[in-house]
Amino acid sequence: MGHVSDILDGKGRDVLWIDGSATVYDAITTMVEGNVGALLVYDGERLAGIVTERDYLRRVTLEGRDERTTPVRKIMSPELVYVGPDASIDECMAVMTEQRIRHLPVLTDEREVVGIVSIGDVVKFHSKEQSVQIRFLTEYISG
């Protein structure tokens, strides 16, 4: 089984982010333009949390907040759940399932951000890995 770093090697390590003082509207615009479902949130140079589409739906839409005036820090998830680049794909899937999250930042032991993986990234990697195994077994049997 592969590691989270293998996913990052394939998809890249660029991470979109936003300052906690920016408006929710700015965050949603950045997500749409970047075709992503989550942004890391910074307070100056400090990683402060993550904001996702789900945060928007729960804390803006359902609570009747104005996305053009509400700062991201008011709706973000400040308790950051993350994995390291050496975490196995199985471990990553377990964390996502247990925590019921779809986006997982990847941080080093020094809390340096080196990427972010989504459940889609994990499923795609897992599927590709299974295809390779099937092809190998087919060739072995056909021999």
Side-chain angles (χ1 to χ4, degrees):
M1 181 57 76
H3 295 89
V4 171
S5 60
D6 298 326
I7 294 176
L8 296 178
D9 289 344
K11 74 172 260 184
R13 296 171 185 265
D14 292 340
V15 175
L16 295 179
W17 62 275
I18 195 157
D19 192 271
S21 63
T23 66
V24 172
Y25 182 82
D26 293 334
I28 295 301
T29 300
T30 302
M31 283 188 225
V32 169
E33 289 172 354
N35 196 30
V36 297
L39 302 173
L40 293 184
V41 180
Y42 282 83
D43 183 12
E45 293 187 20
R46 183 183 69 83
L47 180 59
I50 188 168
V51 64
T52 68
E53 297 160 321
R54 188 179 288 175
D55 292 325
Y56 175 77
L57 289 172
R58 288 182 176 166
R59 298 185 184 123
V60 176
T61 303
L62 291 180
E63 293 180 11
R65 296 179 192 222
D66 180 1
E67 65 269 359
R68 293 188 182 269
T69 60
T70 303
V72 171
R73 75 169 62 87
K74 294 284 188 184
I75 70 154
M76 72 178 188
S77 299
E79 295 83 27
L80 201 59
V81 177
Y82 63 92
V83 293
D86 294 329
S88 71
I89 302 300
D90 284 344
E91 180 182 348
C92 183
M93 289 172 64
V95 169
M96 289 178 153
T97 301
E98 182 179 305
Q99 298 292 321
R100 300 182 57 81
I101 56 177
R102 294 179 284 181
H103 302 91
L104 200 52
V106 183
L107 278 59
T108 64
D109 291 338
E110 295 78 30
R111 288 189 51 96
E112 176 190 346
V113 176
V114 294
I116 189 166
V117 293
S118 70
I119 190 66
D121 298 329
V122 173
V123 169
K124 181 179 176 182
F125 182 87
H126 197 23
S127 175
K128 193 181 295 184
E129 198 170 70
Q130 284 182 335
S131 294
V132 169
Q133 289 175 346
I134 289 169
R135 187 168 22 116
F136 173 78
L137 291 172
T138 302
E139 289 173 5
Y140 177 76
I141 292 169
S142 300

